[in-house]
Amino acid sequence: AQSVAQPEDQVNVAEGNPLTVKCTYSVSGNPYLFWYVQYPNRGLQFLLKYITGDNLVKGSYGFEAEFNKSQTSFHLKKPSALVSDSALYFCAVRAPGAGSYQLTFGKGTKLSVIP
Amino acid sequence: DAGVTQSPTHLIKTRGQQVTLRCSPKSGHDTVSWYQQALGQGPQFIFQYYEEEERQRGNFPDRFSGHQFPNYSSELNVNALLLGDSALYLCASSLGQGRHFGPGTRLLVL
């Protein structure tokens, strides 16, 4: 069975400072990994994904994530946080191969960027 | 180009009733997945439809059923509603690896 852990319920960061939102996963085989953001009363918006290739993935709005196979982690990062980045962030994993289509999400991390 | 649309946006039902939620996928997408997001939780996979067939199902009871139409739109039906079914129901469409989510339908069961 696949699973995702987001160890921090909330992350607070000052505007302009770098931010990191942590994610670890468990899955058989090489994972497909995703980050989504959710604003209040909205659906999920795709930020970035790792399927294969370079371990550093660049996504929307200046976000990036680093895939670390040995630590089974896929932490989300941004060099300089904006107040508008304040939202709920979800990490998700999908097992590779045919017959596996579901995304398994973490519980989410609330990011608050303080002006 | 419209993204994923869902209807209705909000719904209030009472225990024991039945509900149907609707989803229109993003143009060009042929696969629809449904997720349940309870308050304070991440989305949980209900099932996925492709070529009008249920392709994979998550750990949800048979009270949850679905359908996909020839135009790729989809419905989620929930019978015998329980208080615990109160949640945001998200539809996601895809063509390949990416998933595009709709804004969701918020269901409240009283």
Side-chain angles (χ1 to χ4, degrees), chain B residues 8-80:
Chain B
T9 56
H10 295 82
L11 202 53
I12 300 175
K13 292 286 188 179
T14 57
R15 281 177 296 173
Q17 286 189 313
Q18 178 265 344
V19 68
T20 297
L21 310 182
R22 295 175 176 82
C23 172
S24 292
K26 181 178 171 64
S27 178
H29 286 188
D30 59 2
T31 303
V32 173
S33 304
W34 287 92
Y35 290 80
Q36 180 196 66
Q37 186 180 14
L39 199 62
Q41 301 295 318
Q44 299 285 319
F45 176 76
I46 302 175
F47 41 53
Q48 185 181 86
Y49 275 83
Y50 173 70
E51 293 188 343
E52 302 180 51
E53 297 286 333
E54 183 183 290
R55 182 156 73 169
Q56 188 176 11
R57 188 179 185 91
N59 189 25
F60 278 79
D62 291 345
R63 298 187 296 110
F64 290 77
S65 63
H67 189 79
Q68 185 179 34
F69 299 94
N71 67 352
Y72 307 122
S73 67
S74 177
E75 289 181 348
L76 165 65
N77 300 292
V78 186
N79 294 323

Side-chain angles (χ1 to χ4, degrees), chain A residues 32 34 36 38 41-46 49 51 88 90 94 99-108, chain B residues 35 37 40-45 48 55-58 88 90 96-104 106:
Chain A
Y32 300 159
F34 305 82
Y36 287 86
Q38 187 175 38
N41 301 312
R42 301 284 296 276
L44 300 177
Q45 295 180 28
F46 171 79
K49 66 182 177 185
I51 304 298
L88 192 55
F90 290 97
R94 176 190 157 183
S100 177
Y101 305 103
Q102 73 176 73
L103 290 181
T104 297
F105 287 84
K107 293 180 65 174
Chain B
Y35 290 80
Q37 186 180 14
Q41 301 295 318
Q44 299 285 319
F45 176 76
Q48 185 181 86
R55 182 156 73 169
Q56 188 176 11
R57 188 179 185 91
L88 179 67
L90 296 166
Q97 297 300 338
R99 302 279 192 280
H100 292 254
F101 282 82
R106 189 164 296 280

Side-chain angles (χ1 to χ4, degrees), chain A residues 11-30:
Chain A
V11 170
N12 298 321
V13 63
E15 186 177 22
N17 282 4
L19 70 87
T20 299
V21 182
K22 296 179 181 178
C23 170
T24 59
Y25 66 89
S26 175
V27 71
S28 297
N30 295 317

